[in-house]
Amino acid sequence: MLTLMLSSAIIVAVLRIDAATYDCDHKKADQCSLNLMPITNSEIIRRPPKTIAQFNVYCGKIRRYERCTRKFAENCLQKESKQTLSILMYGISRVNKRYCTKEARKKALIDLIQCSGPINFRYYGDLLRNASADLHAIREYPDAKLRIPMACCLYSQYTTQTLEHVEKTCPKYRQEVDSIIRGYSGDSFNFLCGDYADESDKCDPIIEKTPKWDGAVKWKSMIIPMVQVIDSLH
Ligand SMILES: *[C@@H]1O[C@H](CO)[C@@H](O)[C@H](O)[C@H]1NC(C)=O
């Protein structure tokens, strides 16, 4: 009994210290969110996996990246943001699980990564960084009710651009990439975006209004800026 009390006390103490010393290092959190997707994962970019064993190294680290991203939201963002982040991360986790459980899927993703190569990786990385910069600006768009539609329309636009690029560079994998992107955005996208989910005529006038972001791009990953866009409405 005493041991139990003692160990609980120690656990509580450790948790306290952990919370008190959590440094809200946004660069670290940004890297964790980037690492959650193969296309922006630093190790995959540095050394694209050729074998299942090499790809398994990525799979083995997913939980760590998720925990690190969540921890930042818990300690350093507004209260609602933790929940918003969970919803947004759900789709990403599901895609990772899909590709990390079946050998055939791992093989498909490895082939796609090998087909893309460094130049295309850079292109997709730039595209995501640009999308993230747009979200930085959208967080502060004066007409608050347009912020979500704006983010939705941009997401559709960037998705189209990505698929067009895949079509040009690795056409064999268009379907695969389409399903990955759909998986990432998942149900939250349909729920959030409704009428703006497809690149409809409704989007053109909204996209036109998207302000340019001239400030620093604090987040290269889209995840946290997207959380901030949603939570800017509270
Ligand atoms: C990202 O934005 C810059 C500046 O607007 C632009 O020059 C570049 O082409 C964009 N990159 C991609 C991949 O669209």
Side-chain angles (χ1 to χ4, degrees):
M1 189 63 189
L2 185 64
T3 336
L4 187 67
M5 276 167 65
L6 215 61
S7 52
S8 326
I10 290 169
I11 289 169
V12 168
V14 167
L15 288 177
R16 288 246 171 84
I17 291 168
D18 199 33
T21 57
Y22 189 81
D23 53 5
C24 291
D25 178 352
H26 83 270
K27 284 210 174 106
K28 197 173 117 199
D30 196 27
Q31 193 53 57
C32 291
S33 344
L34 289 169
N35 283 344
L36 275 171
M37 301 183 189
I39 201 75
T40 49
N41 179 281
S42 57
E43 287 175 42
I44 289 187
I45 293 172
R46 205 178 313 126
R47 206 154 56 92
K50 288 202 177 93
T51 63
I52 302 247
Q54 286 167 358
F55 185 69
N56 281 341
V57 175
Y58 167 77
C59 293
K61 290 184 178 169
I62 296 294
R63 284 201 170 279
R64 203 176 315 168
Y65 300 139
E66 285 178 355
R67 210 177 312 126
C68 154
T69 308
R70 282 215 175 86
K71 222 159 166 217
F72 182 87
E74 273 167 32
N75 289 294
C76 317
L77 299 178
Q78 296 168 25
K79 203 161 102 244
E80 309 84 29
S81 300
K82 191 181 136 190
Q83 213 174 357
T84 311
L85 182 80
S86 286
I87 296 167
L88 291 186
M89 284 216 322
Y90 180 76
I92 298 171
S93 304
R94 203 168 44 178
V95 171
N96 278 325
K97 225 171 269 156
R98 199 163 78 203
Y99 282 99
C100 284
T101 43
K102 285 222 171 83
E103 300 285 292
R105 290 210 184 267
K106 286 182 191 174
K107 184 88 183 46
L109 197 60
I110 292 167
D111 289 348
L112 166 60
I113 288 169
Q114 287 297 330
C115 172
S116 298
I119 293 170
N120 295 319
F121 265 85
R122 208 167 306 133
Y123 177 87
Y124 299 125
D126 284 351
L127 213 55
L128 278 169
R129 235 185 319 281
N130 286 0
S132 186
D134 288 337
L135 288 174
H136 282 63
I138 293 171
R139 293 179 306 193
E140 295 166 11
Y141 190 69
D143 187 355
K145 70 176 187 306
L146 271 188
R147 285 178 198 160
I148 300 258
M150 210 172 246
C152 292
C153 289
L154 274 162
Y155 190 85
S156 294
Q157 193 189 41
Y158 280 112
T159 300
T160 306
Q161 245 172 296
T162 302
L163 290 174
E164 279 170 5
H165 193 76
V166 174
E167 189 81 60
K168 263 192 286 182
T169 51
C170 300
K172 212 175 121 194
Y173 298 98
R174 192 191 186 282
Q175 207 51 44
E176 194 84 42
V177 174
D178 189 57
S179 113
I180 292 172
I181 295 174
R182 275 175 210 284
Y184 281 155
S185 50
D187 305 330
S188 54
F189 182 68
N190 295 330
F191 174 73
L192 210 60
C193 294
D195 290 349
Y196 301 95
D198 289 315
E199 226 188 338
S200 60
D201 297 343
K202 278 186 179 175
C203 274
D204 295 340
I206 292 174
I207 286 178
E208 243 166 61
K209 286 184 191 159
T210 310
K212 273 257 157 290
W213 180 252
D214 295 322
V217 179
K218 185 173 173 183
W219 299 98
K220 293 193 195 107
S221 158
M222 284 169 67
I223 300 176
I224 301 285
M226 191 58 213
V227 168
Q228 291 172 334
V229 167
I230 296 169
D231 287 345
S232 72
L233 304 179
H234 286 297

